[in-house]
């Protein structure tokens, strides 16, 4: 990857997550996927059922997929 590709990927990720700062689904996704915390630990930490954590992570993935489809045409030259 070139430094231009890296900058473009960073821009894509920032745009993908923008607007979701207060979204509980994205927060659960970040804890689980980005921070590598398992469902059980997130449930304990947030005092919510594990099923709620799983559904939030699932919903976040769907939100991110939808937004990616909406913005991906801007990043056609990017080698992922």
């Amino acid at each position: 990857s070139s430094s231009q590709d890296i900058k473009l990927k960073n821009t894509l990720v920032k745009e993908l997550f923008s607007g979701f700062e207060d979204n509980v689904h994205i927060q659960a996704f970040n804890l689980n996927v980005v921070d590598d915390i398992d469902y059980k630990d997130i449930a304990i930490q947030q005092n919510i059922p594990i099923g709620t954590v799983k559904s939030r992570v699932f919903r976040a993935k769907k939100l991110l997929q939808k937004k990616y489809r909406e913005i991906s045409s801007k990043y056609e030259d990017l080698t992922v």
Side-chain angles (χ1 to χ4, degrees):
S1 283
S2 70
S3 63
Q4 186 176 0
D5 273 356
I6 292 169
K7 287 178 185 176
L8 203 52
K9 285 178 185 177
N10 288 339
T11 303
L12 169 63
V13 170
K14 284 178 185 170
E15 184 172 355
L16 189 59
F17 282 90
S18 72
F20 290 127
E21 293 78 11
D22 296 325
N23 185 295
V24 294
H25 302 96
I26 301 298
Q27 290 169 0
F29 174 88
N30 284 334
L31 289 170
N32 179 246
V33 177
V34 179
D35 298 336
D36 198 30
I37 301 173
D38 93 2
Y39 294 131
K40 179 182 163 205
D41 293 332
I42 296 168
I44 291 167
Q45 179 183 14
Q46 296 190 351
N47 197 29
I48 57 176
I50 194 168
T52 300
V53 175
K54 289 179 180 181
S55 68
R56 286 179 179 179
V57 171
F58 177 82
R59 180 76 179 115
K61 288 177 182 179
K62 293 298 176 193
L63 287 169
L64 293 170
Q65 286 170 351
K66 181 178 186 283
K67 187 161 182 187
Y68 180 76
R69 283 192 299 274
E70 292 169 0
I71 67 171
S72 62
S73 64
K74 292 191 227 176
Y75 300 94
E76 286 176 347
D77 295 335
L78 181 63
T79 309
V80 180

